[in-house]
Amino acid sequence: MANQGSGGSRLPLALPPASQGCSSEGGGSSAGGSGNPPPPRNLQGLLQMAITAGSEEPDPPPEPMSEERRQWLQEAMSAACRGQREEVEQMKNCLQVLSQPTPPSAGEAELATDQQEREGALELLADLCENMDNAADFCQLSGMHLLVGRYLEAGPAGLRWRAAQLIGTCSQNVAAIQEQVLGLGALRKLLRLLDRDPCDSVRVKALFAISCLVREQEAGLLQFLRLDGFSVLMRAMQQQVQKLKVKSAFLLQNLLVGHPEHKDLLLQPHGGQHGSVKPSGVWPLCGNPRPLASLPAMRPSPKGEQGLVGARPGRASPSLLSPLEGH
């Protein structure tokens, strides 16, 4: 009796197979009988089920635009066009300020005021020309001719570095503007500023503009080579200004990685470009640069920028090219 009681209360050790539970005719309510797909057994199956379910949903029909939304859209487009026209007018006003001749017999206070107005106009233009459409309009208004012809070599350093900054801002990633700037001879002046200007800010901004004209720009790179550009970069890497040193080294690295065929130009001993030869110690610009192999090596800094760390000894000396002047 005890054994029978214990055996009668004992639960089954396992559930019956699914086929047994669905063997009767009433099993049509199960997942398989209702025509639904079987549940997924793994992540791949779950993904497939989601893709299938998503593809079966029909696209919602387009809703007609309400009159309120249509009016809002028209006002937004009108405001955008009006804003563009206003910015063009601002650029025209700035160019009018920059086109004025310097007062010939002005006093010191008047000259200072005049310079501040010109610097403010250049700064406003730099902000406006962050927009590529404004940069194109600026060039159509002959603004680039004014910058290159008058302000890159202006007397006050504040005008020179702002002009170089504006040239770089307009030129970056816009091939048509790059070609116009190169055709105006700006690269020669920018390299001269980088190599010789006594103001560090001018040299840094000139380097920025040079980078915008030669990176990913075949015509700019060829002109850069003809104008002794690698030599100027190497001398800039030897300066005491850290920002100038790092940015020059970064540009040099970028050009050589993108154009490895020019590495021999910098490493060949005493040879000039295109097979020309210069006597040892004769350099037309600002002194003989140290050999490229002896310059500090570039390694990533903790901040993610390219830094100058350590030195890489070597014996090869770079060849320098023709002077910036006299062409």
Side-chain angles (χ1 to χ4, degrees), residues 54-162:
S55 62
E56 292 176 353
E57 294 180 0
D59 295 333
E63 298 181 358
M65 183 179 296
S66 64
E67 185 62 28
E68 181 181 1
R69 182 172 178 80
R70 186 189 305 275
Q71 183 178 359
W72 176 86
L73 183 59
Q74 290 177 349
E75 291 177 355
M77 295 178 63
S78 299
C81 296
R82 184 170 60 251
Q84 181 68 24
R85 290 193 297 268
E86 290 176 354
E87 290 180 350
V88 172
E89 289 300 320
Q90 285 181 301
M91 289 191 290
K92 290 181 178 179
N93 293 335
C94 290
L95 289 175
Q96 185 175 3
V97 171
L98 296 173
S99 301
Q100 296 297 323
T102 304
S105 58
E108 184 175 348
E110 188 175 353
L111 288 176
T113 302
D114 179 76
Q115 180 179 338
Q116 289 179 356
E117 292 179 354
R118 296 174 191 270
E119 290 177 354
L122 290 171
E123 290 179 358
L124 178 56
L125 286 170
D127 290 338
L128 293 173
C129 290
E130 291 285 350
N131 183 308
M132 295 175 60
D133 292 333
N134 287 340
D137 291 336
F138 173 77
C139 293
Q140 290 180 358
L141 294 171
S142 300
M144 198 60 68
H145 291 76
L146 185 62
L147 285 182
V148 177
R150 181 171 175 180
Y151 283 93
L152 270 185
E153 298 176 316
L159 296 179
R160 294 198 304 275
W161 74 254
R162 286 176 174 85

Side-chain angles (χ1 to χ4, degrees), residues 26-313:
S29 60
S30 66
S34 62
N36 294 328
R41 297 180 178 272
N42 50 36
L43 290 177
Q44 186 67 27
L46 181 62
L47 176 61
Q48 184 63 36
M49 184 182 70
I51 294 174
T52 303
S55 62
E56 292 176 353
E57 294 180 0
D59 295 333
E63 298 181 358
M65 183 179 296
S66 64
E67 185 62 28
E68 181 181 1
R69 182 172 178 80
R70 186 189 305 275
Q71 183 178 359
W72 176 86
L73 183 59
Q74 290 177 349
E75 291 177 355
M77 295 178 63
S78 299
C81 296
R82 184 170 60 251
Q84 181 68 24
R85 290 193 297 268
E86 290 176 354
E87 290 180 350
V88 172
E89 289 300 320
Q90 285 181 301
M91 289 191 290
K92 290 181 178 179
N93 293 335
C94 290
L95 289 175
Q96 185 175 3
V97 171
L98 296 173
S99 301
Q100 296 297 323
T102 304
S105 58
E108 184 175 348
E110 188 175 353
L111 288 176
T113 302
D114 179 76
Q115 180 179 338
Q116 289 179 356
E117 292 179 354
R118 296 174 191 270
E119 290 177 354
L122 290 171
E123 290 179 358
L124 178 56
L125 286 170
D127 290 338
L128 293 173
C129 290
E130 291 285 350
N131 183 308
M132 295 175 60
D133 292 333
N134 287 340
D137 291 336
F138 173 77
C139 293
Q140 290 180 358
L141 294 171
S142 300
M144 198 60 68
H145 291 76
L146 185 62
L147 285 182
V148 177
R150 181 171 175 180
Y151 283 93
L152 270 185
E153 298 176 316
L159 296 179
R160 294 198 304 275
W161 74 254
R162 286 176 174 85
Q165 180 186 33
L166 181 53
I167 290 175
T169 300
C170 293
S171 301
Q172 55 186 343
N173 304 321
V174 184
I177 298 179
Q178 290 170 342
E179 293 171 1
Q180 181 183 15
V181 175
L182 292 171
L184 293 173
L187 187 57
R188 182 192 306 276
K189 295 183 178 181
L190 290 167
L191 286 169
R192 194 180 299 134
L193 290 177
L194 173 60
D195 207 38
R196 297 180 173 180
D197 200 278
C199 177
D200 293 339
S201 297
V202 174
R203 302 175 74 184
V204 171
K205 296 301 183 181
L207 178 60
F208 163 67
I210 292 169
S211 176
C212 294
L213 290 172
V214 301
R215 294 179 64 178
E216 307 300 330
Q217 207 340 307
E218 191 66 26
L221 180 60
L222 292 177
Q223 194 174 126
F224 177 83
L225 292 173
R226 290 196 299 267
L227 294 174
D228 203 9
F230 280 126
S231 308
V232 177
L233 279 185
M234 290 171 59
R235 278 192 291 275
M237 289 170 60
Q238 301 172 47
Q239 302 302 314
Q240 299 303 317
V241 183
Q242 185 68 13
K243 182 180 292 187
L244 190 64
K245 182 185 298 185
V246 172
K247 291 181 179 294
S248 299
F250 181 77
L251 178 57
L252 180 63
Q253 181 198 46
N254 178 273
L255 294 178
L256 292 181
V257 169
H259 302 272
E261 67 273 13
H262 298 307
K263 291 181 180 179
D264 293 340
L265 179 66
L266 298 178
L267 296 175
Q268 59 184 346
H270 306 300
Q273 73 165 350
H274 307 308
S276 62
V277 178
K278 286 187 176 295
S280 177
V282 178
W283 311 108
L285 293 177
C286 296
N288 186 359
R290 290 159 51 196
L292 175 63
S294 69
L295 293 177
M298 292 193 64
R299 301 175 190 171
S301 66
K303 296 182 179 180
E305 297 180 348
Q306 292 291 337
L308 299 178
V309 185
R312 184 178 299 162

